[in-house]
Protein backbone atom coordinates (compact mmCIF):
# COMPACT_ATOMS: atom_id res chain seq x y z
CA UNK A 1 0.00 0.00 0.00
CA UNK A 2 1.50 3.41 -0.99
CA UNK A 3 2.15 6.08 1.61
CA UNK A 4 -0.75 8.55 1.22
CA UNK A 5 0.14 10.77 4.18
CA UNK A 6 2.24 13.38 2.29
CA UNK A 7 -0.45 13.60 -0.42
CA UNK A 8 -3.32 14.11 2.02
CA UNK A 9 -1.88 17.47 3.06
CA UNK A 10 -1.35 18.80 -0.47
CA UNK A 11 -3.52 20.02 -3.33
CA UNK A 12 -2.63 18.75 -6.84
CA UNK A 13 -0.86 21.29 -9.02
CA UNK A 14 -3.38 20.76 -11.84
CA UNK A 15 -5.61 17.99 -13.25
CA UNK A 16 -3.45 14.98 -14.15
CA UNK A 17 -3.15 13.67 -17.71
CA UNK A 18 -0.98 10.84 -19.07
CA UNK A 19 0.00 11.03 -22.73
CA UNK A 20 1.41 7.62 -23.66
CA UNK A 21 3.10 7.23 -27.01
CA UNK A 22 2.22 4.00 -28.80
CA UNK A 23 5.45 2.23 -27.83
CA UNK A 24 4.71 2.61 -24.11
CA UNK A 25 0.91 2.25 -24.15
CA UNK A 26 0.70 -1.21 -22.52
CA UNK A 27 2.95 -0.13 -19.67
CA UNK A 28 1.09 3.18 -19.29
CA UNK A 29 -2.26 1.42 -18.98
CA UNK A 30 -0.98 -0.49 -15.94
CA UNK A 31 0.40 2.72 -14.39
CA UNK A 32 -2.94 4.41 -15.06
CA UNK A 33 -4.80 1.55 -13.31
CA UNK A 34 -2.67 2.05 -10.18
CA UNK A 35 -3.31 5.82 -10.23
CA UNK A 36 -7.06 5.24 -10.50
CA UNK A 37 -6.89 2.86 -7.51
CA UNK A 38 -4.79 5.29 -5.47
CA UNK A 39 -7.12 8.21 -5.96
CA UNK A 40 -10.32 6.29 -5.35
CA UNK A 41 -8.84 4.88 -2.15
CA UNK A 42 -7.54 8.22 -0.84
CA UNK A 43 -10.24 9.29 1.67
CA UNK A 44 -9.15 12.89 2.43
CA UNK A 45 -9.78 14.58 -0.92
CA UNK A 46 -13.34 15.53 -1.84
CA UNK A 47 -13.95 14.79 -5.49
CA UNK A 48 -16.69 17.43 -5.62
CA UNK A 49 -14.42 20.29 -4.53
CA UNK A 50 -13.21 22.69 -7.21
CA UNK A 51 -9.68 22.32 -5.84
CA UNK A 52 -9.79 18.66 -6.81
CA UNK A 53 -11.41 18.96 -10.21
CA UNK A 54 -10.65 15.82 -12.22
CA UNK A 55 -8.92 14.25 -9.21
CA UNK A 56 -10.75 10.91 -8.94
CA UNK A 57 -11.14 10.15 -12.66
CA UNK A 58 -11.92 6.81 -14.27
CA UNK A 59 -8.81 7.19 -16.42
CA UNK A 60 -5.98 9.69 -16.76
CA UNK A 61 -4.86 8.53 -20.19
CA UNK A 62 -4.95 11.20 -22.88
CA UNK A 63 -5.97 10.46 -26.47
CA UNK A 64 -2.89 11.08 -28.60
CA UNK A 65 -1.27 9.62 -31.71
CA UNK A 66 1.52 10.17 -34.24
CA UNK A 67 0.18 9.00 -37.64
CA UNK A 68 2.50 8.92 -40.64
CA UNK A 69 2.24 9.88 -44.27
CA UNK A 70 3.37 7.60 -47.10
CA UNK A 71 6.74 9.34 -47.17
CA UNK A 72 7.40 8.34 -43.55
CA UNK A 73 6.81 11.85 -42.22
CA UNK A 74 4.58 12.13 -39.15
CA UNK A 75 2.55 14.56 -37.10
CA UNK A 76 1.50 14.62 -33.46
CA UNK A 77 -2.21 14.75 -32.59
CA UNK A 78 -3.82 15.25 -29.18
CA UNK A 79 -7.50 14.30 -29.22
CA UNK A 80 -8.74 16.31 -26.22
CA UNK A 81 -8.06 19.53 -24.34
CA UNK A 82 -4.89 19.75 -22.24
CA UNK A 83 -5.36 23.37 -21.18
CA UNK A 84 -4.25 23.85 -17.57
CA UNK A 85 -3.33 20.19 -17.01
CA UNK A 86 -0.27 18.60 -15.44
CA UNK A 87 0.79 16.55 -18.44
CA UNK A 88 3.05 13.50 -18.18
CA UNK A 89 4.30 12.16 -21.53
CA UNK A 90 5.55 8.56 -21.51
CA UNK A 91 7.88 7.23 -24.20
CA UNK A 92 9.82 3.99 -24.67
CA UNK A 93 12.63 4.79 -27.09
CA UNK A 94 13.69 1.12 -27.20
CA UNK A 95 10.45 -0.30 -28.65
CA UNK A 96 11.64 -1.54 -32.04
CA UNK A 97 8.54 -3.73 -32.54
CA UNK A 98 6.58 -0.80 -34.01
CA UNK A 99 6.81 -0.32 -37.77
CA UNK A 100 5.80 2.26 -40.36
CA UNK A 101 5.85 2.35 -44.17
CA UNK A 102 8.12 4.54 -46.29
CA UNK A 103 7.21 4.47 -49.97
CA UNK A 104 6.02 0.88 -49.64
CA UNK A 105 8.99 -0.30 -47.55
CA UNK A 106 8.60 -1.32 -43.90
CA UNK A 107 10.76 0.44 -41.32
CA UNK A 108 11.16 -0.47 -37.65
CA UNK A 109 11.03 2.51 -35.33
CA UNK A 110 14.40 3.52 -33.94
CA UNK A 111 15.11 5.56 -30.79
CA UNK A 112 15.43 8.59 -33.08
CA UNK A 113 11.86 8.02 -34.37
CA UNK A 114 10.45 7.72 -30.85
CA UNK A 115 12.28 10.86 -29.77
CA UNK A 116 10.85 12.80 -32.72
CA UNK A 117 7.35 11.58 -31.84
CA UNK A 118 7.88 12.80 -28.28
CA UNK A 119 8.67 16.27 -29.57
CA UNK A 120 5.60 16.15 -31.83
CA UNK A 121 3.28 15.52 -28.86
CA UNK A 122 4.96 18.33 -26.90
CA UNK A 123 4.43 20.59 -29.91
CA UNK A 124 0.77 19.51 -30.24
CA UNK A 125 0.16 20.61 -26.63
CA UNK A 126 0.86 24.08 -28.01
CA UNK A 127 1.97 25.52 -24.70
CA UNK A 128 -1.50 25.15 -23.17
CA UNK A 129 -0.63 22.60 -20.47
CA UNK A 130 0.05 23.96 -16.98
CA UNK A 131 3.22 21.84 -16.83
CA UNK A 132 4.84 19.24 -19.09
CA UNK A 133 6.81 16.32 -17.66
CA UNK A 134 8.58 13.64 -19.69
CA UNK A 135 8.85 10.06 -18.44
CA UNK A 136 11.60 8.37 -20.45
CA UNK A 137 12.65 5.18 -18.59
CA UNK A 138 15.54 4.44 -20.96
CA UNK A 139 17.24 7.81 -21.39
CA UNK A 140 17.54 8.66 -25.08
CA UNK A 141 21.22 8.51 -26.16
CA UNK A 142 22.11 7.95 -22.49
CA UNK A 143 25.23 6.00 -23.45
CA UNK A 144 26.51 8.95 -25.48
CA UNK A 145 26.81 11.11 -22.37
CA UNK A 146 30.41 12.28 -22.57
CA UNK A 147 32.95 13.33 -25.18
CA UNK A 148 36.27 11.51 -25.34
CA UNK A 149 37.29 12.72 -28.81
CA UNK A 150 35.73 14.69 -31.66
CA UNK A 151 32.20 13.34 -31.37
CA UNK A 152 28.64 14.43 -30.66
CA UNK A 153 27.10 14.86 -27.21
CA UNK A 154 23.68 13.51 -28.13
CA UNK A 155 22.15 13.05 -24.68
CA UNK A 156 23.00 16.55 -23.47
CA UNK A 157 21.67 18.07 -26.69
CA UNK A 158 18.40 16.12 -26.38
CA UNK A 159 17.88 17.23 -22.77
CA UNK A 160 18.54 20.85 -23.66
CA UNK A 161 16.14 20.62 -26.59
CA UNK A 162 13.34 19.25 -24.39
CA UNK A 163 13.87 22.04 -21.85
CA UNK A 164 13.78 24.63 -24.64
CA UNK A 165 10.41 23.17 -25.70
CA UNK A 166 8.99 23.83 -22.23
CA UNK A 167 9.52 20.53 -20.39
CA UNK A 168 9.78 21.12 -16.64
CA UNK A 169 10.76 17.67 -15.36
CA UNK A 170 12.46 14.64 -16.89
CA UNK A 171 12.03 11.29 -15.14
CA UNK A 172 14.27 8.38 -16.06
CA UNK A 173 15.49 5.16 -14.48
CA UNK A 174 19.04 4.05 -13.76
CA UNK A 175 20.67 6.59 -16.08
CA UNK A 176 23.89 5.27 -17.56
CA UNK A 177 25.61 8.31 -16.09
CA UNK A 178 23.31 10.64 -14.09
CA UNK A 179 25.89 13.43 -14.37
CA UNK A 180 24.42 14.17 -17.79
CA UNK A 181 21.83 16.23 -15.86
CA UNK A 182 24.54 18.88 -15.55
CA UNK A 183 23.55 19.93 -19.08
CA UNK A 184 20.21 21.22 -17.69
CA UNK A 185 21.13 22.40 -14.16
CA UNK A 186 18.01 24.57 -13.65
CA UNK A 187 15.42 21.92 -14.57
CA UNK A 188 14.07 18.84 -12.83
CA UNK A 189 15.91 15.60 -13.61
CA UNK A 190 15.34 12.44 -11.56
CA UNK A 191 16.93 9.03 -12.08
CA UNK A 192 15.33 6.27 -9.99
CA UNK A 193 16.81 2.89 -9.13
CA UNK A 194 14.87 -0.43 -9.13
CA UNK A 195 16.91 -1.99 -6.30
CA UNK A 196 13.86 -2.76 -4.15
CA UNK A 197 12.02 -4.35 -7.07
CA UNK A 198 15.07 -6.54 -7.90
CA UNK A 199 15.23 -7.85 -4.34
CA UNK A 200 11.48 -8.43 -4.17
CA UNK A 201 11.53 -10.37 -7.47
CA UNK A 202 14.38 -12.62 -6.27
CA UNK A 203 12.78 -13.33 -2.90
CA UNK A 204 9.47 -14.23 -4.55
CA UNK A 205 10.93 -16.39 -7.35
CA UNK A 206 13.75 -18.21 -5.51
CA UNK A 207 12.32 -20.13 -2.51
CA UNK A 208 15.70 -21.02 -0.99
CA UNK A 209 17.25 -17.59 -1.53
CA UNK A 210 19.45 -16.78 1.50
CA UNK A 211 20.57 -13.26 2.35
CA UNK A 212 23.65 -13.35 4.56
CA UNK A 213 27.39 -12.95 4.16
CA UNK A 214 28.01 -16.70 4.08
CA UNK A 215 25.64 -17.42 1.21
CA UNK A 216 25.42 -14.29 -0.96
CA UNK A 217 27.73 -11.84 -2.73
CA UNK A 218 27.06 -8.84 -4.98
CA UNK A 219 29.10 -8.47 -8.18
CA UNK A 220 29.74 -5.38 -10.26
CA UNK A 221 30.47 -6.46 -13.87
CA UNK A 222 32.52 -3.30 -14.55
CA UNK A 223 33.62 0.00 -13.05
CA UNK A 224 30.46 1.80 -14.20
CA UNK A 225 28.18 -0.38 -12.05
CA UNK A 226 30.20 0.09 -8.85
CA UNK A 227 27.80 2.52 -7.15
CA UNK A 228 24.82 0.21 -7.72
CA UNK A 229 26.70 -2.79 -6.33
CA UNK A 230 28.09 -0.87 -3.33
CA UNK A 231 24.59 0.31 -2.32
CA UNK A 232 23.08 -3.16 -2.78
CA UNK A 233 25.83 -4.93 -0.83
CA UNK A 234 25.78 -2.39 2.03
CA UNK A 235 22.04 -2.52 2.53
CA UNK A 236 22.04 -6.35 2.47
CA UNK A 237 25.15 -6.60 4.64
CA UNK A 238 27.05 -8.87 2.25
CA UNK A 239 30.43 -8.71 0.49
CA UNK A 240 30.98 -7.23 -2.95
CA UNK A 241 33.30 -8.12 -5.81
CA UNK A 242 34.08 -6.38 -9.07
CA UNK A 243 35.26 -7.12 -12.58
CA UNK A 244 37.02 -4.60 -14.72
CA UNK A 245 37.24 -4.75 -18.49
CA UNK A 246 40.52 -4.78 -20.37
CA UNK A 247 39.77 -3.36 -23.80
CA UNK A 248 41.63 -3.13 -27.07
CA UNK A 249 41.62 0.62 -27.67
CA UNK A 250 43.35 0.25 -31.04
CA UNK A 251 40.24 -1.34 -32.59
CA UNK A 252 36.58 -0.36 -32.92
CA UNK A 253 33.91 -3.01 -33.51
CA UNK A 254 30.21 -2.01 -33.73
CA UNK A 255 31.07 1.43 -32.41
CA UNK A 256 32.99 0.30 -29.31
CA UNK A 257 36.39 -1.04 -28.29
CA UNK A 258 36.27 -4.85 -27.95
CA UNK A 259 36.83 -6.41 -24.51
CA UNK A 260 40.03 -8.44 -24.26
CA UNK A 261 39.42 -9.91 -20.79
CA UNK A 262 37.50 -9.48 -17.52
CA UNK A 263 39.70 -9.28 -14.42
CA UNK A 264 38.19 -9.97 -10.97
CA UNK A 265 38.79 -8.06 -7.74
CA UNK A 266 37.27 -9.40 -4.52
CA UNK A 267 37.01 -12.28 -2.06
CA UNK A 268 36.31 -15.88 -2.99
CA UNK A 269 32.85 -16.62 -4.41
CA UNK A 270 33.16 -20.37 -3.89
CA UNK A 271 29.89 -21.91 -2.72
CA UNK A 272 28.06 -18.57 -2.65
CA UNK A 273 25.12 -17.31 -4.70
CA UNK A 274 26.08 -14.16 -6.59
CA UNK A 275 23.99 -11.27 -7.93
CA UNK A 276 25.42 -9.42 -10.92
CA UNK A 277 23.85 -5.96 -11.04
CA UNK A 278 24.03 -3.49 -13.93
CA UNK A 279 21.93 -0.93 -15.78
CA UNK A 280 21.32 -2.91 -18.97
CA UNK A 281 21.83 -6.05 -21.00
CA UNK A 282 22.56 -4.91 -24.54
CA UNK A 283 24.09 -7.79 -26.51
CA UNK A 284 24.76 -9.57 -23.20
CA UNK A 285 28.25 -10.63 -24.25
CA UNK A 286 30.12 -9.12 -21.31
CA UNK A 287 27.42 -10.13 -18.79
CA UNK A 288 27.55 -13.77 -19.90
CA UNK A 289 31.35 -13.78 -19.82
CA UNK A 290 31.26 -12.51 -16.22
CA UNK A 291 28.70 -15.19 -15.29
CA UNK A 292 30.89 -17.90 -16.82
CA UNK A 293 33.98 -16.70 -14.97
CA UNK A 294 32.06 -16.67 -11.67
CA UNK A 295 30.99 -20.27 -12.22
CA UNK A 296 34.59 -21.19 -13.03
CA UNK A 297 35.46 -19.66 -9.64
CA UNK A 298 32.95 -22.17 -8.15
CA UNK A 299 30.07 -19.79 -7.43
CA UNK A 300 26.85 -21.63 -6.54
CA UNK A 301 24.15 -19.79 -8.50
CA UNK A 302 24.37 -16.70 -10.67
CA UNK A 303 21.49 -14.19 -10.67
CA UNK A 304 21.62 -11.36 -13.20
CA UNK A 305 19.71 -8.15 -12.32
CA UNK A 306 19.55 -5.34 -14.88
CA UNK A 307 17.13 -2.45 -15.28
CA UNK A 308 16.81 -2.78 -19.04
CA UNK A 309 16.81 -6.09 -20.93
CA UNK A 310 17.49 -5.11 -24.55
CA UNK A 311 18.94 -8.44 -25.82
CA UNK A 312 20.07 -6.89 -29.09
CA UNK A 313 21.71 -10.15 -30.24
CA UNK A 314 18.75 -12.35 -29.34
CA UNK A 315 18.34 -14.99 -26.63
CA UNK A 316 20.19 -17.99 -28.06
CA UNK A 317 23.34 -17.39 -26.01
CA UNK A 318 21.32 -16.93 -22.81
CA UNK A 319 19.46 -20.17 -23.49
CA UNK A 320 22.80 -21.92 -23.96
CA UNK A 321 24.30 -20.52 -20.75
CA UNK A 322 21.16 -21.43 -18.79
CA UNK A 323 21.35 -25.02 -20.06
CA UNK A 324 25.02 -25.17 -19.05
CA UNK A 325 24.20 -23.84 -15.58
CA UNK A 326 26.17 -20.60 -15.93
CA UNK A 327 23.09 -18.48 -15.10
CA UNK A 328 20.08 -19.30 -12.90
CA UNK A 329 17.89 -16.20 -13.15
CA UNK A 330 17.78 -13.08 -15.29
CA UNK A 331 15.75 -10.28 -13.70
CA UNK A 332 14.85 -7.15 -15.68
CA UNK A 333 12.19 -4.49 -15.24
CA UNK A 334 9.18 -3.95 -17.50
CA UNK A 335 10.22 -0.35 -18.19
CA UNK A 336 11.10 -1.10 -21.82
CA UNK A 337 9.80 -3.34 -24.59
CA UNK A 338 10.98 -6.93 -24.24
CA UNK A 339 10.97 -9.76 -26.75
CA UNK A 340 7.75 -11.79 -26.26
CA UNK A 341 9.75 -15.04 -26.22
CA UNK A 342 11.82 -13.70 -23.30
CA UNK A 343 8.74 -13.70 -21.08
CA UNK A 344 8.36 -17.48 -21.60
CA UNK A 345 11.92 -18.41 -20.65
CA UNK A 346 12.34 -20.47 -17.44
CA UNK A 347 15.23 -18.27 -16.29
CA UNK A 348 13.42 -14.94 -16.75
CA UNK A 349 11.82 -12.97 -13.91
CA UNK A 350 10.12 -9.58 -14.29
CA UNK A 351 10.53 -6.78 -11.75
CA UNK A 352 7.29 -4.81 -12.02
CA UNK A 353 7.79 -1.03 -11.93
CA UNK A 354 4.24 0.17 -12.65
CA UNK A 355 3.18 0.78 -9.03
CA UNK A 356 6.48 2.55 -8.30
CA UNK A 357 6.07 4.87 -11.28
CA UNK A 358 2.44 5.58 -10.33
CA UNK A 359 3.66 6.70 -6.88
CA UNK A 360 6.24 8.98 -8.52
CA UNK A 361 3.62 10.58 -10.79
CA UNK A 362 1.14 11.02 -7.93
CA UNK A 363 3.77 12.70 -5.73
CA UNK A 364 4.93 15.02 -8.51
CA UNK A 365 1.35 16.01 -9.34
CA UNK A 366 0.82 17.00 -5.68
CA UNK A 367 4.12 18.93 -5.65
CA UNK A 368 5.27 17.13 -2.51
CA UNK A 369 8.72 15.86 -1.64
CA UNK A 370 9.61 12.63 -3.40
CA UNK A 371 12.27 11.60 -0.90
CA UNK A 372 9.95 8.86 0.38
CA UNK A 373 9.83 7.51 -3.20
CA UNK A 374 13.38 8.32 -4.25
CA UNK A 375 15.16 6.31 -1.55
CA UNK A 376 14.11 2.64 -1.33
CA UNK A 377 16.18 2.00 1.83
CA UNK A 378 13.23 1.96 4.23
CA UNK A 379 11.18 -0.29 1.94
CA UNK A 380 14.11 -2.70 1.56
CA UNK A 381 14.55 -2.91 5.34
CA UNK A 382 10.84 -3.74 5.74
CA UNK A 383 11.13 -6.40 3.03
CA UNK A 384 14.18 -7.88 4.74
CA UNK A 385 12.37 -7.94 8.10
CA UNK A 386 9.50 -9.87 6.50
CA UNK A 387 11.99 -12.21 4.83
CA UNK A 388 13.83 -12.96 8.09
CA UNK A 389 10.58 -13.51 10.00
CA UNK A 390 9.46 -15.95 7.32
Amino acid sequence: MPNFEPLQKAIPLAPLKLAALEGSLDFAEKVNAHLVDYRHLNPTHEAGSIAYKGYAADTYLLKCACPRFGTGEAKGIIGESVRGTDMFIMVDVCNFSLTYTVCGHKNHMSPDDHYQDLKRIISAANGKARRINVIMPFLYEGRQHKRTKRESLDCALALQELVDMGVSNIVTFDAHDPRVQNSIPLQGFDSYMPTYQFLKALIQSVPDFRIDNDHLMIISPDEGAMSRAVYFSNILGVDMGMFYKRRDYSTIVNGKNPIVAHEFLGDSVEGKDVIIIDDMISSGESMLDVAKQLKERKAARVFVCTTFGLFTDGLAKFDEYYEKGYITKVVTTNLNYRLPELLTKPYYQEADMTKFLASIIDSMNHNVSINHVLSPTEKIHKLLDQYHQR
Side-chain angles (χ1 to χ4, degrees):
M1 180 68 67
N3 180 14
F4 287 132
E5 186 177 352
L7 311 183
Q8 291 168 352
K9 302 174 182 177
I11 296 176
L13 173 77
L16 172 63
K17 286 294 181 180
L18 298 180
L21 274 68
E22 187 181 358
S24 62
L25 186 56
D26 290 343
F27 182 77
E29 286 174 345
K30 296 176 183 177
V31 173
N32 175 65
H34 287 304
L35 283 168
V36 171
D37 285 345
Y38 290 171
R39 296 198 165 185
H40 282 80
L41 291 172
N42 193 336
T44 62
H45 293 333
E46 299 176 8
S49 169
I50 193 170
Y52 301 106
K53 180 183 177 182
Y55 184 80
D58 293 331
T59 182
Y60 300 99
L61 286 173
L62 192 67
K63 295 176 182 177
C64 62
C66 291
R68 291 185 179 267
F69 302 101
T71 57
E73 298 167 293
K75 61 180 178 180
I77 299 175
I78 295 177
E80 57 189 276
S81 174
V82 295
R83 186 180 296 274
T85 62
D86 192 12
M87 188 174 172
F88 289 80
I89 308 176
M90 299 177 63
V91 58
D92 176 11
V93 299
C94 296
N95 193 338
F96 62 89
S97 69
L98 301 180
T99 60
Y100 62 94
T101 303
V102 180
C103 300
H105 299 279
K106 184 180 285 189
N107 264 12
H108 285 266
M109 287 189 69
S110 70
D112 292 339
D113 292 319
H114 288 292
Y115 177 63
Q116 287 298 118
D117 281 355
L118 169 64
K119 293 192 293 181
R120 291 179 177 113
I121 295 300
I122 296 172
S123 174
N126 200 24
K128 298 299 187 292
R130 172 70 174 82
R131 183 175 67 177
I132 295 178
N133 314 274
V134 169
I135 299 174
M136 188 186 294
F138 186 94
L139 190 61
Y140 173 70
E141 292 290 357
R143 284 184 285 182
Q144 187 53 31
H145 57 90
K146 62 182 178 181
R147 177 180 285 157
T148 56
K149 48 190 172 183
R150 190 169 296 158
E151 56 189 8
S152 59
L153 281 170
D154 296 49
C155 190
L157 286 172
L159 294 178
Q160 289 181 352
E161 187 174 20
L162 291 176
V163 167
D164 289 343
M165 293 184 74
V167 173
S168 299
N169 297 292
I170 296 170
V171 175
T172 190
F173 287 83
D174 203 352
H176 194 67
D177 188 341
R179 289 176 296 181
V180 74
Q181 68 185 290
N182 293 337
S183 62
I184 50 168
L186 300 181
Q187 299 298 320
F189 180 99
D190 293 299
S191 177
Y192 296 91
M193 301 295 293
T195 315
Y196 169 76
Q197 286 77 12
F198 285 157
L199 185 59
K200 186 177 179 181
L202 284 172
I203 289 175
Q204 291 178 346
S205 63
V206 184
D208 57 343
F209 187 60
R210 301 187 65 178
I211 305 174
D212 59 60
N213 207 33
D214 295 326
H215 298 91
L216 186 64
M217 192 167 177
I218 309 299
I219 302 295
S220 172
D222 54 35
E223 311 92 291
M226 274 290 291
S227 60
R228 302 176 184 92
V230 168
Y231 174 75
F232 210 2
S233 63
N234 283 341
I235 202 165
L236 296 182
V238 300
D239 287 337
M240 191 203 85
M242 168 195 158
F243 283 86
Y244 70 91
K245 300 173 182 176
R246 283 201 292 115
R247 294 182 179 271
D248 180 3
Y249 287 99
S250 64
T251 309
I252 296 178
V253 178
N254 293 330
K256 56 186 179 183
N257 304 107
I259 298 168
V260 176
H262 285 94
E263 305 292 350
F264 183 66
L265 300 173
D267 292 335
S268 172
V269 298
E270 185 173 352
K272 293 184 179 181
D273 290 338
V274 294
I275 299 175
I276 308 174
I277 188 165
D278 206 355
D279 61 336
M280 72 179 75
I281 294 174
S282 185
S283 66
E285 178 185 349
S286 60
M287 186 69 73
L288 290 173
D289 186 44
V290 166
K292 183 179 178 181
Q293 290 202 38
L294 287 168
K295 290 298 288 186
E296 289 173 351
R297 288 174 166 81
K298 300 182 180 180
R301 294 176 296 185
V302 176
F303 304 111
V304 176
C305 293
T306 65
T307 308
F308 303 104
L310 306 179
F311 300 97
T312 56
D313 286 354
L315 301 172
K317 199 74 174 176
F318 283 84
D319 293 343
E320 177 190 341
Y321 273 50
Y322 174 70
E323 293 295 332
K324 290 181 177 179
Y326 294 147
I327 57 175
T328 302
K329 283 281 182 188
V330 176
V331 181
T332 77
T333 70
N334 55 348
L335 289 167
N336 66 289
Y337 172 78
R338 294 151 297 158
L339 296 165
E341 60 182 304
L342 173 66
L343 308 182
T344 66
K345 298 297 182 181
Y347 53 81
Y348 179 71
Q349 182 64 36
E350 175 186 282
D352 183 24
M353 301 294 291
T354 54
K355 185 177 288 188
F356 184 38
L357 182 54
S359 297
I360 293 170
I361 293 172
D362 212 12
S363 297
M364 291 180 67
N365 180 236
H366 282 78
N367 259 352
V368 299
S369 170
I370 56 174
N371 283 336
H372 66 289
V373 180
L374 186 61
S375 175
T377 304
E378 185 178 344
K379 292 173 67 178
I380 291 175
H381 282 309
K382 287 182 179 179
L383 182 63
L384 290 174
D385 289 341
Q386 295 171 2
Y387 159 79
H388 289 306
Q389 288 172 9
R390 189 178 64 188

